[in-house]
Amino acid sequence: MTGDGGAAAPSRRAPRAVAALRVRAVAAGAAALTVLAGLGVRAFTGGDLAEYAGDALYTVLICALAAVIAPGARPVVRAGAGLAFSWAVELLQLTGVPADLSRHSAVARLVLGSTFNAPDLFWYVVGAGFAWAVAALATSPSPGCAPRTSASR
């Protein structure tokens, strides 16, 4: 409240909250589009293309979900987290636990896979790199557009 009984000045956090909400909404939309892309690749292609595109898209999806969870994180951090998660899941397949779970659950099969495949590790890097590049380009200022300063507001 102000001294004259009027409403308090808008908080400095309000623009940050709006920006976080915007990042979350865009990331959720990107996650949905990534799932659709993965389904499309599976429906219209086959073989190695479908398998490895699916691996890359899996990591893109994890990166998008990381942006939903942590909208303030830098794109490189979200990409690194997505890559680390994807590699951890792939390496977990060496234990046989995901294969056991996959026999009982379609969701476990989709999220954890079942069999370790070393080339998948490379395709996760491709997916993380793509997610990083898109996020970095989307959040970088336009060429020739100076950042806003207090003097330009």
Side-chain angles (χ1 to χ4, degrees):
M1 299 279 284
T2 59
D4 62 357
S11 167
R12 289 185 187 250
R13 288 188 175 199
R16 247 188 229 156
V18 170
L21 186 59
R22 186 177 306 124
V23 169
R24 283 189 169 113
V26 170
L33 289 174
T34 302
V35 169
L36 290 175
L39 293 172
V41 166
R42 288 285 183 180
F44 298 111
T45 67
D48 288 344
L49 176 63
E51 179 181 348
Y52 296 129
D55 291 339
L57 288 169
Y58 177 86
T59 302
V60 170
L61 174 62
I62 298 303
C63 292
L65 294 175
V68 170
I69 294 167
R74 293 178 304 156
V76 70
V77 172
R78 294 191 305 247
L83 179 60
F85 180 87
S86 298
W87 278 356
V89 168
E90 190 69 27
L91 294 173
L92 181 66
Q93 293 170 356
L94 290 169
T95 68
V97 171
D100 290 339
L101 294 172
S102 293
R103 282 192 279 278
H104 303 290
S105 168
V107 173
R109 187 172 32 257
L110 290 170
V111 174
L112 300 176
S114 61
T115 308
F116 176 79
N117 185 25
D120 291 353
L121 298 171
F122 168 76
W123 292 102
Y124 297 142
V125 173
V126 171
F130 178 79
W132 167 80
V134 169
L137 287 172
T139 58
S140 67
S142 301
C145 186
R148 291 187 69 177
T149 64
S150 59
S152 66
R153 289 185 194 162

